[in-house]
Amino acid sequence: MKILVTGGAGFIGSHTCVELLEAGHDVVILDDLSNASGTVIDKIETITGKRPAFYQADAKDRAVLHEIFTAHRIDAVVHFAGFKAVGESCHIPLAYYRNNLDSTLALLEEMAQAGCTRFVFSSSATVYGPDNAIPYVETMPTYVATNPYGWTKVMIEQILRDYCTATPGFTAVLLRYFNPIGGHPSGLLGDDPNGIPNNLMPYIARVAAGQLDKLTIFGDDYPTPDGTCRRDYLHVVDLAKGHLKAIDYAMEHTGAEAFNLGTGHAVSVLELVNTFMEATGVNVPYVIGPRREGDLPQMWADTHKAETILGWKAEKTVADMCRDSWNFVCSVKKQ
């Protein structure tokens, strides 16, 4: 099959492109490189021996989308392209609503013209909001989010559900990620955002590499065992493999269906920092700062649905995630 991957040069997107190519699919990447590097395309080719078609453009650009669907017989779309920083979304909410919603709507409209009916959406555990019990189960209500980033995911999921209801034969698989970290075992791919990282693991790695002075942990007075936030961290390669399972599911089913992709276990910020230091032997200086707006104390997944219906389960450990994250940083330093 030929798969269009928006945001395919990004952290999760690039790893998913590798898994798709190694599974025998053809890949077309659309990415504006606003938070990624064009060298990722070369690295994907180095790992897989196959070069994906690449368009550097905004996913909201209808003309480029039309060009892609005209030039390629796209069988399915995996939609990663979007702004994703919780804290930033609280400060520039309009940019998040404009970018994340418009890109999805533009894709759906061009897919309709091209007759493409399989859509895999990069959603988030933030859709569960602050009121649901832990662990999160796909049947829980998702009508309350705690930040604009989360609201864009809630809204897009609703758009996709409504579209599936109105369009018999269309499939939307809503993959609710928890906290992907790690990198490709080759060391060629990892989480390398432009500027100061918004996510925890790339920040830890840059502190460990001496590129940043110290890590600030946002709050140590949460109602958790060590006072720091707890999250369900999973290896990005495990997550990427979940997208292959989602595409397989989409080819055999119609309608909208949500799946949690996580490990089912929570790890605190302090536990992650300590595991990183133990797994790599590198010190990570840190200080405790005030709480960050929009953060929940803890969240982790109930993974039963993905395991039983998709046949997917996360396999790698937190130590694996830390070692592969550091391996990527070391590989970048050698280049």
Side-chain angles (χ1 to χ4, degrees):
M1 291 189 295
K2 183 167 285 190
I3 315 297
L4 170 61
V5 182
T6 70
F11 176 45
I12 304 171
S14 61
H15 287 82
T16 299
C17 288
V18 167
E19 296 300 324
L20 288 169
L21 289 164
E22 291 186 336
H25 298 298
D26 295 322
V27 170
V28 178
I29 293 176
L30 171 64
D31 199 304
D32 64 2
L33 302 183
S34 61
N35 197 33
S37 169
T39 62
V40 167
I41 310 303
D42 299 326
K43 294 176 180 180
I44 292 172
E45 182 179 20
T46 298
I47 293 169
T48 66
K50 304 173 185 177
R51 189 171 187 84
F54 174 57
Y55 292 78
Q56 183 177 348
D58 193 311
K60 301 190 297 294
D61 191 327
R62 291 288 299 273
V64 174
L65 290 174
H66 185 74
E67 179 184 349
I68 290 171
F69 281 100
T70 301
H72 304 273
R73 189 177 180 278
I74 302 297
D75 297 292
V77 174
V78 183
H79 183 33
F80 293 104
F83 296 158
K84 62 176 184 176
V86 168
E88 181 183 63
S89 77
C90 296
H91 297 290
I92 53 170
L94 293 184
Y96 271 68
Y97 288 118
R98 173 67 71 188
N99 185 73
N100 293 6
L101 271 65
D102 279 7
S103 62
T104 304
L105 293 169
L107 270 170
L108 291 173
E109 288 166 350
E110 290 300 327
M111 289 176 69
Q113 289 190 19
C116 181
T117 60
R118 300 295 184 263
F119 192 92
V120 176
F121 176 54
S122 170
S123 191
S124 168
T126 59
V127 301
Y128 289 109
D131 299 325
N132 285 311
I134 306 294
Y136 293 147
V137 183
E138 291 88 345
T139 53
M140 289 177 171
T142 59
Y143 51 82
V144 177
T146 60
N147 53 75
Y149 162 75
W151 273 116
T152 68
K153 298 299 186 181
V154 171
M155 292 176 180
I156 293 168
E157 284 199 6
Q158 188 60 51
I159 288 168
L160 291 168
R161 290 184 187 280
D162 290 342
Y163 187 60
C164 285
T165 298
T167 313
F170 193 88
T171 305
V173 183
L174 318 175
L175 297 181
R176 295 172 179 170
Y177 308 159
F178 280 69
N179 293 78
I181 57 177
H184 193 269
S186 67
L188 292 176
L189 295 177
D191 198 357
D192 189 24
N194 296 331
I196 303 298
N198 288 301
N199 294 326
L200 178 58
M201 180 53 80
Y203 206 106
I204 289 174
R206 290 191 186 180
V207 171
Q211 298 170 358
L212 296 170
D213 291 338
K214 61 182 179 296
L215 169 71
T216 298
I217 295 175
F218 298 111
D220 65 349
D221 59 348
Y222 286 97
T224 61
D226 63 17
T228 64
C229 291
R230 302 173 75 210
R231 296 291 183 265
D232 187 339
Y233 296 99
L234 75 157
H235 200 292
V236 65
V237 172
D238 281 334
L239 179 59
K241 292 178 179 178
H243 292 75
L244 271 70
K245 296 290 188 179
I247 290 170
D248 290 342
Y249 176 89
M251 301 310 295
E252 300 295 331
H253 299 81
T254 58
E257 200 69 45
F259 295 94
N260 290 336
L261 295 185
T263 66
H265 305 285
V267 176
S268 75
V269 173
L270 276 176
E271 287 173 328
L272 185 64
V273 172
N274 289 331
T275 301
F276 183 93
M277 291 191 287
E278 292 169 4
T280 65
V282 181
N283 186 49
V284 179
Y286 65 85
V287 297
I288 305 298
R291 293 187 180 191
R292 182 174 60 180
E293 186 179 9
D295 279 343
L296 296 176
Q298 55 188 350
M299 59 171 69
W300 66 89
D302 182 307
T303 59
H304 179 75
K305 185 176 180 180
E307 292 174 14
T308 56
I309 296 178
L310 296 183
W312 174 89
K313 184 175 182 179
E315 298 176 350
K316 295 181 181 290
T317 67
V318 177
D320 293 332
M321 303 172 205
C322 293
R323 280 191 294 267
D324 286 339
S325 295
W326 181 239
N327 186 35
F328 169 68
V329 171
C330 293
S331 175
V332 170
K333 288 171 67 176
K334 293 177 183 177
Q335 295 175 13

